[in-house]
Amino acid sequence: AQTVTQSQPEMSVQEAETVTLSCTYDTSESDYYLFWYKQPPSRQMILVIRQEAYKQQNATENRFSVNFQKAAKSFSLKISDSQLGDAAMYFCAYRSARNNNDMRFGAGTRLTVKP
Amino acid sequence: KAGVTQTPRYLIKTRGQQVTLSCSPISGHRSVSWYQQTPGQGLQFLFEYFSETQRNKGNFPGRFSGRQFSNSRSEMNVSTLELGDSALYLCASSLDGGSGYKQFFGPGTRLTVL
């Protein structure tokens, strides 16, 4: 079964600085999707970024980018120019490309942004 | 477009009762997935519905069930509630059920079982 591991329960970053959140996953499949979701204190989960495993190019969304290392099964999230509004729980998630597979989430990393 | 809505937002029940939660997906979205979020177990997949059919189910007991209507709205039912069912229940919709499609989450329903 696929598992997702986020080894950093908590991270802290200074406003305007850069922070990297780690995520590793275990799978025997070659085709899948990886996601980072953000869950602010208001609790609404928001998709931050998505990566297709068949793409070598790392996904980027404004200040958010990923470092996808398929062989190492690693999928880290880099947040540049951190803002106070980035403070939230961040979840890494995996979903098989086979039909109808469920989404597997990591335990989450709580990010604090210091002014 | 309006986002995913869930009702009610908060619910308090007692052990043994049953509960029904509702989820209205984004207009045009045909896939609805349900997740349970607890401090101990994290986020766990419950089930996914697409065009009124359950396409996938997570590892939860039969007390957890759901359905989807022709307008894509979905309901989740939990019978014979247990204390451990206290959780935030999240619903997510996507345009299609394909794995790569982005899921948009609702605000959740906070269920407390006393």
Side-chain angles (χ1 to χ4, degrees):
Chain A
Q2 299 86 5
T3 57
V4 180
T5 302
Q6 292 180 251
S7 58
Q8 306 153 316
E10 295 183 358
M11 289 285 284
S12 178
V13 64
Q14 206 72 34
E15 195 176 6
E17 297 294 311
T18 296
V19 65
T20 299
L21 308 184
S22 301
C23 172
T24 58
Y25 56 95
D26 183 28
T27 184
S28 58
E29 298 178 334
S30 59
D31 200 10
Y32 48 86
Y33 298 87
L34 297 166
F35 307 84
W36 277 99
Y37 280 91
K38 168 186 176 182
Q39 190 177 39
S42 68
R43 289 290 188 178
Q44 187 124 17
M45 194 89 73
I46 303 165
L47 177 65
V48 175
I49 201 164
R50 179 187 66 171
Q51 175 80 42
E52 293 92 335
Y54 62 84
K55 287 188 177 179
Q56 291 187 335
Q57 186 173 8
N58 290 324
T60 300
E61 289 285 346
N62 301 313
R63 298 182 295 107
F64 299 87
S65 61
V66 297
N67 183 4
F68 173 47
Q69 302 286 329
K70 191 171 183 178
K73 296 179 184 173
S74 170
F75 183 61
S76 61
L77 174 70
K78 185 171 84 171
I79 307 174
S80 304
D81 185 24
S82 296
Q83 300 175 359
L84 295 177
D86 294 333
M89 280 290 287
Y90 285 81
F91 293 95
C92 177
Y94 168 103
R95 194 171 189 189
S96 170
R98 290 184 300 165
N99 276 342
N100 312 325
N101 220 328
D102 59 274
M103 186 103 79
R104 301 294 174 102
F105 286 86
T109 296
R110 181 173 302 280
L111 178 66
T112 302
V113 181
K114 298 179 180 178
Chain B
K1 280 185 179 178
V4 178
T5 58
Q6 292 186 245
T7 57
R9 292 293 310 277
Y10 302 91
L11 207 49
I12 299 175
K13 292 285 187 179
T14 57
R15 279 181 298 174
Q17 287 186 308
Q18 78 165 26
V19 66
T20 299
L21 312 181
S22 181
C23 171
S24 293
I26 291 172
S27 177
H29 284 194
R30 296 191 297 165
S31 171
V32 173
S33 296
W34 288 89
Y35 298 86
Q36 182 196 65
Q37 187 176 24
T38 60
Q41 299 297 318
L43 276 154
Q44 293 184 286
F45 172 77
L46 279 156
F47 28 64
E48 177 194 9
Y49 285 87
F50 180 76
S51 293
E52 302 178 63
T53 301
Q54 187 184 88
R55 296 208 305 182
N56 198 18
K57 191 177 190 301
N59 189 25
F60 277 81
R63 300 185 297 107
F64 292 81
S65 63
R67 59 178 176 169
Q68 187 180 34
F69 302 94
S70 59
N71 62 357
S72 293
R73 188 178 70 87
S74 178
E75 287 183 346
M76 190 193 96
N77 184 275
V78 188
S79 63
T80 319
L81 284 166
E82 300 177 359
L83 294 179
D85 296 334
S86 294
L88 181 69
Y89 289 89
L90 294 169
C91 156
S93 78
S94 64
L95 192 62
D96 202 325
S99 303
Y101 281 93
K102 298 177 182 179
Q103 286 192 331
F104 296 85
F105 282 80
T109 294
R110 169 74 62 188
L111 172 64
T112 301
V113 181
L114 303 176

